């Protein structure tokens, strides 16, 4: 499992270990470098109204007059090196639909129906919509979701003609209404409904770059298909029922992209002057008293109210929500309308995932890219931001730093156990498991040992202690490394007898009586590490397509001693087995969790979610690590690579991991009513998943499986 930090001093020995790993699994490492070249409000801002005020100002500040007018928000596709992976695993289709009947000449999109300018069609979340994807008929989108679930789909756009003269096909505006039920309940745009543009990485659709709801426009390129990722997030308290709405796709002219350009010069000047004054007031940090702060905010409020009565905003007075505010060209039916229905059913996914899925985040990658010194306030803020952002994907993050010979310092909370933040982290119901830091693994000093003892003494008294585990060594290879794990285990058990240690491995240890490369030695590892490991985490790579080998592994475990079987994927397994490499099928990504559930694993580990090559500035190009399949160890990207946003950018693969985790909850619900054997039969009879090399390549069986759970379990 490739996990070494890019600036590690043990690169040579690590490379040898990787080659050994590859030989055991009878695979070949990639030798090519894959690169993607791409081009606080202060302590006084503690009140929600103050924060909202500054956010509003910053939002409007984008419309301040600049040279050439106001710039439309645009996410440009970054240039890439290399070739796209995946080959035929895209499932692209040939053929297309009737093109535009418009003649040559300048086209005014406000006078032509949008359907004559571009193709629009929907695609499921498991589709890899390539830039060469052929158009399909536009159909009504019907979705099903439980409460506390995210369901996604894609809208594909392909221009028929160009209506711009600047080298692009033209800009397109994308607007969505709130989804409403007959009883008046809503799923609100910008809160429960989000739009993101799918940006290719190495030519493969992967990065999901947010579209600003205040300026929902993108540019289309001639002869290329662009995909929009639409996510519907159903809150826990949402009323069940049928919710309906529409998405409007409207080509616009390049010279009227911005409302500001239609303003009179005097109005633009007044708007600029008032906004500049507001920004000057709120951005000042030198407040002598709280009274001065209140006075400044009051002045800002007065200035904003003056702006709202400008003639330019007169037609906005009766609109109370963004989801209801549509441009005139949309209202007069020029737009292509995508009808959307969502059935929210009376079942809530548990806040705590049924399957603990622990994913690593490299602290050194964050430190290097964002120029943060370990232990500083900025460092804590960055780790906290990544932790909270990843929780939405039903995974339990842990931070990690690597030492020599695959030693690993893994920890879920950056703060010590006696810090107020620690209990907030460990008690979060979305966290299914957490790693306790074993500091002596990297620095075996008296101070580190004393700190460890304090951590355990505090945590073991808490109700969440049952979630705790120690991750000490990644893929130990020989008896000497096994002996280190034994010694650490003996030390920890003097603090508390119910300690849980997780050990990953893909082979038996060298130096034992069994040949390390044999499956017999692999299966006998629990006998060598007992009682010094409680979570035996094995590579899916070793199993290949032979599900029968699972029985041999489980037969060696002692559940009465608290022993568990978890699995992981990393460099392998490779196509056609499920994994999260770039270019694999969407169902292949989602099937990783189907496999875990079917084989009976009680947990899952992934070595790294942000382990790209070292960089020293946030906006630097993303380079996948040498020697790894493209995408391995990278499930999200820094937002600064694509825009000025500091929010991480998810990959399609991360969204499909979430879908797989949600599928597990559906299967567990079905099992609770009809038994596990019936749930296994459901996976097979729907054709969703039969084995590591036999699962659906199309999305249809996924909907059939989920629909059957809904139909039979809703009563």
């Amino acid at each position: 499992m490739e996990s070494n930090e890019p600036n590690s001093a043990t690169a040579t020995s690590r490379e040898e270990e990787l080659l050994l790993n590859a030989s055991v699994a009878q695979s070949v490492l990639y030798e090519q470098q894959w690169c993607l070249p791409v081009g606080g409000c202060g302590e006084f801002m503690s009140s929600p109204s103050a924060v909202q005020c500054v956010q509003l100002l910053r939002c409007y500040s984008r419309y301040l007059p600049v040279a050439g007018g106001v710039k439309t928000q645009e996410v440009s596709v970054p240039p890439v090196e290399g070739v796209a992976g995946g080959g035929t695993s895209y499932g692209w289709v040939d053929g297309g639909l009737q093109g535009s009947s418009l003649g040559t000449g300048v086209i005014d999109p406000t006078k032509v129906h949008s359907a004559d300018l571009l193709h629009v069609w929907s695609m499921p979340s498991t589709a890899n919509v390539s830039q060469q994807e052929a158009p399909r008929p536009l159909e009504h989108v019907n979705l099903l979701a439980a409460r506390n679930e995210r369901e996604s789909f894609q809208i594909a756009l392909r221009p028929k003609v160009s209506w711009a003269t600047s080298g692009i096909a033209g800009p397109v505006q994308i607007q969505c209404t709130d989804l409403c039920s007959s009883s008046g309940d809503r799923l609100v745009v910008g809160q429960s409904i989000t739009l993101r543009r799918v940006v290719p990485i190495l030519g493969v659709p992967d990065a999901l770059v947010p579209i600003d709801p205040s300026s929902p426009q993108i540019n289309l390129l001639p002869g290329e298909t662009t995909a929009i990722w639409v996510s519907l997030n159903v809150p826990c308290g949402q009323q069940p029922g049928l919710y309906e709405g529409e998405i409007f796709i409207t080509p616009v002219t390049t010279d009227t992209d911005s409302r500001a350009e239609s303003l009179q010069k005097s109005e633009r000047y007044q708007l600029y002057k008032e906004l500049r004054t507001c920004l000057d007031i709120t951005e000042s940090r030198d407040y002598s008293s709280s009274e001065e702060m209140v006075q400044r905010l009051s002045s800002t409020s007065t200035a904003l109210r003056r702006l709202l009565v400008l003639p330019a905003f007169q037609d906005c007075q009766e609109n109370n929500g963004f989801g209801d505010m549509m441009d005139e060209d949309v209202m007069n039916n020029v737009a292509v309308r995508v009808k959307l229905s969502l059935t929210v059913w009376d079942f809530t996914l548990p806040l705590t995932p049924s399957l603990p899925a622990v994913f690593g985040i490299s602290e050194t990658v964050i430190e290097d890219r964002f120029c943060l010194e370990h232990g500083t306030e900025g460092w804590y803020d960055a780790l906290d931001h990544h932790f909270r952002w990843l929780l939405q994907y039903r995974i339990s993050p842990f931070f990690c730093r690597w030492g020599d010979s695959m030693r690993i310092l893994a920890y879920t909370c950056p703060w010590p156990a006696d810090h107020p933040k620690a209990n907030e982290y460990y008690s979060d119901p979305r966290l299914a498991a957490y790693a306790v830091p074993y500091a002596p693994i990297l620095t075996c000093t008296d101070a580190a040992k004393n700190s460890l003892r304090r951590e355990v003494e505090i945590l073991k008294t808490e109700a969440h202690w049952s979630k705790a585990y120690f991750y000490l060594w990644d893929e130990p290879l020989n008896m000497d490394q096994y002996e280190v794990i034994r010694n650490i285990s003996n030390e920890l058990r003097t603090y508390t007898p119910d300690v849980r240690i997780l050990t990953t491995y893909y082979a038996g240890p060298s130096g034992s009586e069994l040949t390390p490369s044999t499956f017999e030695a692999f299966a006998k590892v629990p006998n060598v590490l007992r009682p010094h490991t409680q979570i035996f985490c094995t590579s899916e790579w070793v199993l290949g397509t032979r599900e029968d080998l699972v029985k041999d592994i489980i037969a060696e475990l002692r559940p009465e001693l608290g022993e568990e079987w978890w699995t992981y994927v990393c460099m392998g397994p490779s196509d056609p087995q499920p994994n999260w490499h770039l270019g694999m099928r969407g169902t292949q990504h989602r099937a990783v969790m189907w496999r875990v559930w079917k084989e009976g694993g009680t947990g899952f580990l992934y070595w790294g979610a942000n382990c790209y090559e070292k960089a020293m500035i946030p906006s630097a190009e993303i380079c996948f690590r040498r020697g790894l399949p493209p995408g391995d160890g990278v499930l999200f990207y820094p937002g600064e690579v694509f825009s000025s946003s500091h929010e991480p950018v998810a990959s399609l693969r991360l969204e499909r991991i979430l879908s797989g985790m949600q599928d597990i909850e559906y299967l567990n619900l079905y099992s609770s009513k009809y038994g596990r054997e019936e749930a296994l039969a459901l996976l097979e009879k729907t054709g969703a998943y039969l084995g590591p090399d036999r699962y659906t390549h199309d999305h249809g069986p996924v909907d059939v499986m989920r629909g059957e759970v809904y139909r039979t379990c809703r009563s």
Side-chain angles (χ1 to χ4, degrees), residues 39-244:
C41 296
E43 295 182 1
F44 78 96
M45 301 300 295
S46 57
S47 67
S49 59
V51 174
Q52 292 168 1
C53 179
V54 171
Q55 289 175 340
L56 178 63
L57 290 172
R58 293 192 181 282
C59 178
Y60 276 112
S61 68
R62 278 175 296 187
Y63 297 96
L64 296 180
V66 294
V70 176
K71 187 176 182 180
T72 300
Q73 183 238 8
E74 171 58 22
V75 179
S76 60
V77 178
V80 297
E81 292 180 2
V83 290
T88 58
S89 67
Y90 284 102
W92 291 342
V93 295
D94 293 324
L97 303 180
Q98 183 67 34
S100 174
S101 59
L102 297 176
T104 59
V106 178
I107 298 173
D108 182 354
T110 64
K111 299 179 180 179
V112 180
H113 196 281
S114 301
D116 291 327
L117 300 181
L118 76 165
H119 297 285
V120 179
W121 68 102
S122 61
M123 297 287 281
S125 60
T126 54
N128 289 335
V129 182
S130 77
Q131 293 171 312
Q132 291 76 40
E133 189 77 35
R136 305 184 185 194
L138 175 60
E139 298 177 348
H140 187 158
V141 177
N142 291 288
L143 301 172
L144 166 71
R147 292 177 296 204
N148 193 35
E149 181 177 16
R150 178 185 299 174
E151 182 69 352
S152 301
F153 69 99
Q154 299 177 82
I155 296 175
L157 311 172
R158 188 177 182 90
K160 298 178 180 179
V161 296
S162 293
W163 57 96
T165 58
S166 56
I168 62 172
V172 171
Q173 181 172 268
I174 305 163
Q175 292 178 298
C176 182
T177 67
D178 294 345
L179 297 188
C180 303
S181 70
S182 58
S183 60
D185 296 297
R186 289 190 173 209
L187 292 170
V188 179
V189 174
Q191 298 176 15
S192 295
I193 306 172
T194 58
L195 306 178
R196 288 173 285 179
R197 179 171 183 167
V198 182
V199 174
I201 304 297
L202 298 180
V204 181
D206 193 56
L208 299 177
V209 180
I211 296 175
D212 187 350
S214 67
S215 179
Q217 293 187 12
I218 62 172
N219 286 336
L220 301 185
L221 298 178
E224 290 189 5
T225 298
T226 297
I228 305 301
W229 187 276
V230 184
S231 291
L232 309 177
N233 298 276
V234 183
C236 290
Q238 194 71 32
Q239 289 297 313
L242 177 64
Y243 291 76
E244 295 181 303

Side-chain angles (χ1 to χ4, degrees), residues 650-703:
S651 65
L652 266 73
R653 294 166 293 130
L654 185 57
E655 288 289 336
R656 289 162 181 166
I657 291 170
L658 171 62
S659 296
M661 292 289 290
Q662 294 173 161
D663 292 337
I664 286 178
E665 305 299 348
Y666 274 65
L667 292 167
N668 284 342
L669 173 64
Y670 196 86
S671 297
S672 68
K673 189 164 186 175
Y674 300 106
R676 179 172 168 81
E677 290 303 317
E678 285 298 315
L680 288 168
L682 176 65
L683 266 181
E684 294 191 3
K685 74 179 182 182
T686 58
Y689 184 84
L690 288 81
D693 56 348
R694 295 178 299 145
Y695 51 86
T696 180
H697 291 175
D698 302 313
H699 190 81
V702 181
D703 281 342

Side-chain angles (χ1 to χ4, degrees), residues 242-262:
L242 177 64
Y243 291 76
E244 295 181 303
E246 289 184 290
I247 297 176
F248 298 83
I249 314 294
T250 316
V252 294
T253 56
T254 54
D255 59 347
T256 58
D257 288 346
S258 168
R259 293 179 180 270
E261 292 186 3
S262 63

Side-chain angles (χ1 to χ4, degrees), residues 430-602:
R430 296 171 295 174
L431 194 67
Y434 65 81
V436 182
Y438 183 81
I441 197 71
L442 299 183
T443 307
C444 192
T445 62
D446 290 341
K449 290 185 176 182
N450 291 335
S451 174
L452 168 66
R453 180 184 290 273
R454 287 195 301 272
E455 287 284 303
V456 175
E457 290 294 332
I458 295 172
L459 293 176
K460 73 178 184 180
T461 64
E462 301 290 344
H464 51 62
W465 174 247
S466 59
K467 300 180 183 181
Y469 67 92
F470 287 86
Y471 182 18
L472 308 170
W473 207 295
D474 187 44
E475 296 179 337
L477 298 175
N478 54 55
M479 291 304 296
D480 290 340
Q481 294 173 354
Y482 275 51
E483 188 61 28
V484 174
I485 296 174
R486 290 194 187 103
N487 292 336
I488 295 175
S489 172
N490 286 331
E491 175 194 356
L492 291 173
R493 286 163 47 154
T494 64
Y495 304 154
T496 179
D498 60 347
V499 66
R500 294 199 307 165
I501 295 176
L502 179 151
T503 303
T504 59
Y505 59 98
Y506 62 87
S510 62
S512 64
E513 65 277 7
L514 296 172
T515 305
S517 60
T518 65
F519 182 78
E520 180 185 8
F522 171 80
K524 295 294 183 181
V525 166
N527 295 325
V528 181
L529 278 177
R530 184 178 294 118
H532 306 295
T533 288
Q534 288 68 42
I535 302 175
F536 294 92
C537 190
T538 66
S539 170
E540 292 281 15
W541 204 354
V542 177
L543 298 178
T545 60
R546 293 188 55 186
E547 287 184 310
D548 59 298
L549 298 179
V550 172
K551 297 179 180 178
D552 296 330
I553 298 173
I554 295 178
E556 297 295 330
L557 299 181
R558 301 278 298 277
E560 69 275 11
L561 299 179
E563 293 179 359
E564 298 184 51
W565 179 53
W566 291 19
T567 55
Y568 67 86
V569 297
C570 53
M571 293 186 297
S574 56
D575 194 58
Q577 296 181 56
N579 207 325
W580 295 323
H581 298 162
L582 201 66
M584 286 183 165
R585 292 180 181 271
T587 54
Q588 197 169 3
H589 295 148
R590 192 160 175 169
V592 171
M593 291 305 169
W594 300 343
R595 178 175 190 171
V596 172
W597 188 87
K598 186 173 188 290
E599 292 176 350
T602 56

